[in-house]
Amino acid sequence: MTYSKDFLVKVYRDLAELRMFEEKLVEAYAQGKVPGHIHSGMGEEAVYAGTLATTKDGDYYKITHRPVGAAVTLGVSYETAFSEAMGKSTGNSGGRGGINHISELSKGMLGFSGSLGCDAAVGPGAALKIKKDKTDNIVYVYYGDGTSSRGPIHEAMNLAAVWKLPVLFICQNNQFGISTHISRGSSVENPGADRAAGYGMPSKIVDGTDALAVYEATKELVDDIRKGNGPAILEAKAYRWRGHFEGDQTPYRDAKITEEWMKKDCVKIMEKYLLDKKVVTEDEIKAINDELNDEMNKAIEFADNSPAITADEIYDNIYA
Amino acid sequence: MLKTYAQAIGDAMKEEMRNDDNVIVFGEDVAEFGNIFGITRGILEEFGPDRIKNTPISETAIVGSAIGAATVGLRPCIELMYADFALVAFSEIYHSIGKWRFLHGPEYKLPLVIRMAMGSSFGAGAEHSNCVESLFMHAPGLTIVSPSSAYDAKGLLKSAIRSDNPVLFFEHKQLYQTKEEIPEEEYTIPLGVADIKREGTDVTIIAVSLMVKKALEAAEILAEKGISVEVIDPRTLAPFDKDTVFESIRKTHRVVVVEESHKTGGIGAELAAMIQEEMYDELDGPVVRVASLDVPLPYNIEMELHSIPNAEKIVTAVESLF
């Protein structure tokens, strides 16, 4: 497949942005600026950068807790995203929802659950509106290999398939549900793709560290879904670089395997591709990263200096 | 025109579907079959398969998809068949529906209704007879409606469908065939407003759903014994209309709460606690609860009837306050 420079730079920028967002989040968490728990998505950025290169205006998205930076890929501002992560009034819910709910409806984001899988059918539900409006939009529903064992995933897929809804389910297979390797949570090797046959859905398996491979596999499925042929499953295989949460030292896995996977760095792979093909220069790469760094630092400062909501504001937004 | 509670609910849905083409209905056996109690009969014929759909037996997906549909502007009025089955989707209702807007921000609203048939119905057994409103009263963010009459059911369901907040709508199976005069002209009943079903001066009975009928029977018996009973139907359990109830207590100074769910941790537990906290000085005695026994509802009909409240038990409870 041939790509325009604009397209390639956009994919690279999305990758670099997501990586940097996740790095900044880890840093902010270490500094005690982020309450609760964060779930770093480092190593899995290509799953989002690749799939989201196939979107069009009017599509809907149901992301997950990992990486939450996907919200900025979808257009949520750094200020809003960091503010929400840091529990500040300037976040999308004013810090009421927090890191697992960085979301803006105006960006097509349907919202997502901290209780994983309970939000799976939100995608098929939004797809009913697409069907009513008779557009060729679709819904992107992300879930992890761990969540794939939860019942609501099955119910959502079955419903989407029975009603032939325009939904792409994306299984981010990072191989671990907290400490449990997927081989101990799934009787099939590919917990996303292998189960597609059970719903009569097409599926694809792709290397989730190669953003362009993810894009190409996604595009094939998405083109078909946009034609009205019903849902599909994409399984992108990657690896969760860090622990399930910060502080998880991952004693349950072989550090050598982790090191091997970390060599398959999706950001570096794309960077090398762009440089080898002379699409961009090292200076351009640096300029992109410098700009992201500046903007994110400013946003973190903004969030840090933003007030928290007050006690009498906690009741806001319960009822419309 | 005289209509049944079942017809009133069906009429409310049809009227709202005519008013707004974003209103859609889906759930278990709602389309061709018209739901197992016949409530949704005629909707498929009038509105077609895009507006009413049978779902697979998948409560988490029914509720989950209603969240997605409502988030993007549809107004799903969905059906889970038995209220007992709401527990299959407990997480989706408790965590997701009630909290979605709070968690994601004011851009989000969930105009959805979940209809469910609840209550004992002569031998349906321990898993098809439960009144589960109190389980959901614990969850912030939900609107919980439990109508006791055909007139109320219609007006409240229309308001529920028009509400921008998620509403759990509990219909009592024993009420489906009860009839009431329903006006030809359109009307709604606001959510969150209780109704005084019988005025009285000596004791306030707060009764829910079918228990309103039982409380009214008890009030007749008590009237003959010289006790004047005020029967209040909250109609909406959340948000709860404290004003109407407190005004009544200021007059009667005695309270009995009647519900069909289990006594422990039930509606009466919450109301008794709230009333003693906020109205202690007005009370001439303890808030008395009449509820189902803390047993799984027995299949044997005699034992089922033994386990749930009736007029006689309510009379005894009221008399204990004098």
Side-chain angles (χ1 to χ4, degrees):
Chain A
M1 205 177 268
T2 54
Y3 302 103
S4 69
K5 177 177 176 176
D6 282 353
F7 176 86
L8 291 170
V9 170
K10 167 81 166 65
V11 172
Y12 174 74
R13 194 180 182 283
D14 283 351
L15 282 167
E17 177 182 65
L18 196 41
R19 171 66 52 83
M20 198 177 290
F21 187 89
E22 294 290 308
E23 285 171 348
K24 300 275 184 200
L25 212 49
V26 168
E27 201 178 299
Y29 188 79
Q31 292 166 349
K33 291 177 180 171
V34 180
H37 306 281
I38 66 167
H39 309 89
S40 166
M42 269 186 247
E44 302 171 44
E45 296 88 346
V47 180
Y48 277 93
T51 51
L52 294 180
T54 63
T55 64
K56 61 183 282 184
D57 282 353
D59 288 345
Y60 294 120
Y61 313 93
K62 199 295 292 172
I63 66 168
T64 78
H65 63 303
R66 186 189 330 274
V68 287
V72 305
T73 316
L74 288 167
V76 174
S77 75
Y78 302 152
E79 285 80 4
T80 299
F82 282 116
S83 294
E84 190 61 34
M86 289 159 69
K88 297 301 184 75
S89 62
T90 40
N92 51 282
S93 82
R96 293 174 185 82
I99 190 150
N100 289 331
H101 304 284
I102 301 171
S103 193
E104 285 184 342
L105 187 57
S106 57
K107 307 296 189 292
M109 299 182 70
L110 301 170
F112 56 114
S113 289
S115 188
L116 306 184
C118 291
D119 52 10
V122 169
L128 291 172
K129 170 81 169 143
I130 293 172
K131 270 211 148 176
K132 176 177 186 280
D133 293 345
K134 297 186 168 56
T135 69
D136 65 350
N137 284 115
I138 72 164
V139 188
Y140 295 74
V141 174
Y142 295 82
Y143 68 106
D145 53 287
T147 309
S148 74
S149 298
R150 276 200 148 165
I153 293 286
H154 158 69
E155 291 195 6
M157 287 184 174
N158 187 52
L159 187 76
V162 167
W163 286 354
K164 226 176 165 186
L165 298 172
V167 180
L168 177 65
F169 293 97
I170 299 123
C171 179
Q172 300 166 238
N173 185 350
N174 68 15
Q175 307 184 36
F176 288 91
I178 307 187
S179 71
T180 305
H181 189 261
I182 186 58
S183 61
R184 290 161 67 198
S186 167
S187 57
V188 291
E189 193 182 344
N190 309 298
D194 290 354
R195 289 172 180 158
Y199 307 106
M201 282 193 236
S203 68
K204 280 186 173 295
I205 298 171
V206 70
D207 176 356
T209 66
D210 180 342
L212 293 178
V214 172
Y215 166 73
E216 285 172 22
T218 308
K219 183 144 190 347
E220 254 185 74
L221 294 174
V222 164
D223 286 350
D224 210 37
I225 299 169
R226 291 197 197 282
K227 283 179 198 146
N229 293 326
I233 301 176
L234 177 80
E235 179 167 346
K237 290 187 186 290
Y239 192 87
R240 198 189 70 207
W241 284 10
R242 301 180 69 83
H244 170 68
F245 41 73
E246 288 305 293
D248 169 9
Q249 301 296 318
T250 68
Y252 43 81
R253 67 187 190 186
D254 185 344
K256 285 201 188 78
I257 295 175
T258 304
E259 274 169 37
E260 283 309 306
W261 272 98
M262 288 180 72
K263 285 177 194 161
K264 295 180 65 169
D265 177 336
C266 59
V267 183
K268 294 284 176 216
I269 289 169
M270 188 69 191
E271 197 174 298
K272 185 171 181 312
Y273 175 93
L274 293 180
L275 292 169
D276 287 353
K277 299 257 179 192
K278 302 198 185 320
V279 180
V280 294
T281 63
E282 298 221 9
D283 285 348
E284 282 173 284
I285 295 280
K286 186 173 179 304
I288 290 170
N289 282 281
D290 286 348
E291 189 197 340
L292 292 172
N293 191 45
D294 283 351
E295 287 179 17
M296 284 196 209
N297 285 345
K298 274 184 218 154
I300 290 169
E301 201 183 324
F302 167 82
D304 214 8
N305 293 328
S306 293
I309 56 168
T310 56
D312 57 354
E313 288 172 309
I314 56 174
Y315 292 99
D316 295 351
N317 303 343
I318 296 179
Y319 291 104
Chain B
M1 195 180 170
L2 214 54
K3 293 247 186 186
T4 66
Y5 184 91
Q7 287 168 330
I9 291 167
D11 287 350
M13 275 188 274
K14 286 177 206 150
E15 286 180 16
E16 291 310 299
M17 290 178 84
R18 285 177 208 129
N19 285 345
D20 183 349
D21 75 349
N22 285 312
V23 178
I24 54 169
V25 174
F26 56 85
E28 292 166 1
D29 302 293
V30 293
E32 291 83 355
F33 197 41
N35 134 317
I36 58 166
F37 301 102
I39 311 289
T40 53
R41 273 185 207 147
I43 294 181
L44 178 66
E45 289 73 8
E46 182 176 348
F47 299 95
D50 290 340
R51 301 283 300 281
I52 182 165
K53 287 175 191 295
N54 280 349
T55 60
I57 303 170
S58 297
E59 288 80 6
T60 74
I62 296 169
V63 176
S65 59
I67 296 172
T71 297
V72 299
L74 296 176
R75 305 185 83 84
C77 179
I78 63 170
E79 143 127 24
L80 295 180
M81 194 179 286
Y82 287 95
D84 309 71
F85 303 162
L87 306 197
V88 179
F90 200 96
S91 187
E92 285 71 15
I93 298 173
Y94 189 99
H95 277 314
S96 305
I97 283 189
K99 302 176 185 173
W100 208 250
R101 176 180 171 85
F102 182 86
L103 293 175
H104 296 105
E107 225 187 344
Y108 293 79
K109 57 184 185 188
L110 293 185
L112 66 87
V113 181
I114 305 178
R115 291 184 39 253
M116 295 162 272
M118 72 167 189
S120 63
S121 58
F122 310 107
E127 294 157 294
H128 291 76
S129 303
N130 288 274
C131 292
V132 295
E133 304 105 308
S134 60
L135 300 181
F136 296 104
M137 282 168 64
H138 196 63
L142 298 174
T143 298
I144 302 173
V145 180
S146 204
S148 68
S149 73
Y151 178 86
D152 285 356
K154 184 177 181 188
L156 289 165
L157 183 54
K158 284 170 69 76
S159 292
I161 293 170
R162 291 179 193 186
S163 170
D164 280 341
N165 292 304
V167 179
L168 307 187
F169 196 86
F170 291 98
E171 302 162 9
H172 201 292
K173 282 166 267 173
Q174 287 192 47
L175 292 172
Y176 276 142
Q177 296 313 316
T178 59
K179 288 183 180 166
E180 200 171 15
E181 196 60 37
I182 303 287
E184 291 292 328
E185 62 277 11
E186 189 172 26
Y187 70 95
T188 59
I189 296 172
L191 303 174
V193 178
D195 188 36
I196 299 170
K197 296 296 185 190
R198 178 188 175 114
E199 288 193 17
T201 52
D202 298 333
V203 58
T204 300
I205 297 182
I206 306 166
V208 180
S209 190
L210 178 67
M211 292 303 121
V212 174
K213 305 280 184 212
K214 306 288 178 194
L216 290 170
E217 282 174 40
E220 280 296 318
I221 298 166
L222 288 159
E224 285 170 21
K225 297 183 177 198
I227 298 174
S228 166
V229 177
E230 179 142 302
V231 177
I232 297 183
D233 176 359
R235 300 195 289 202
T236 307
L237 290 163
F240 188 82
D241 179 1
K242 286 186 188 179
D243 292 347
T244 302
V245 168
F246 288 179
E247 198 181 310
S248 176
I249 294 171
R250 277 184 211 107
K251 178 172 64 177
T252 64
H253 310 290
R254 295 181 186 88
V255 188
V256 174
V257 184
V258 190
E259 65 183 305
E260 195 180 315
S261 50
H262 303 298
K263 192 172 190 177
T264 301
I267 298 167
E270 168 56 28
L271 295 187
M274 185 255 287
I275 290 165
Q276 67 88 13
E277 276 175 348
E278 300 187 36
M279 297 292 287
Y280 189 77
D281 290 342
E282 293 286 348
L283 293 174
D284 284 350
V287 176
V288 177
R289 291 179 287 162
V290 182
S292 285
L293 303 180
D294 286 326
V295 293
L297 200 65
Y299 168 72
N300 176 282
I301 290 178
E302 208 177 312
M303 286 302 101
E304 177 187 300
L305 292 172
H306 169 74
S307 303
I308 59 178
N310 55 30
E312 196 185 331
K313 290 183 189 182
I314 299 167
V315 168
T316 306
V318 169
E319 285 178 331
S320 77
L321 285 170
F322 292 90

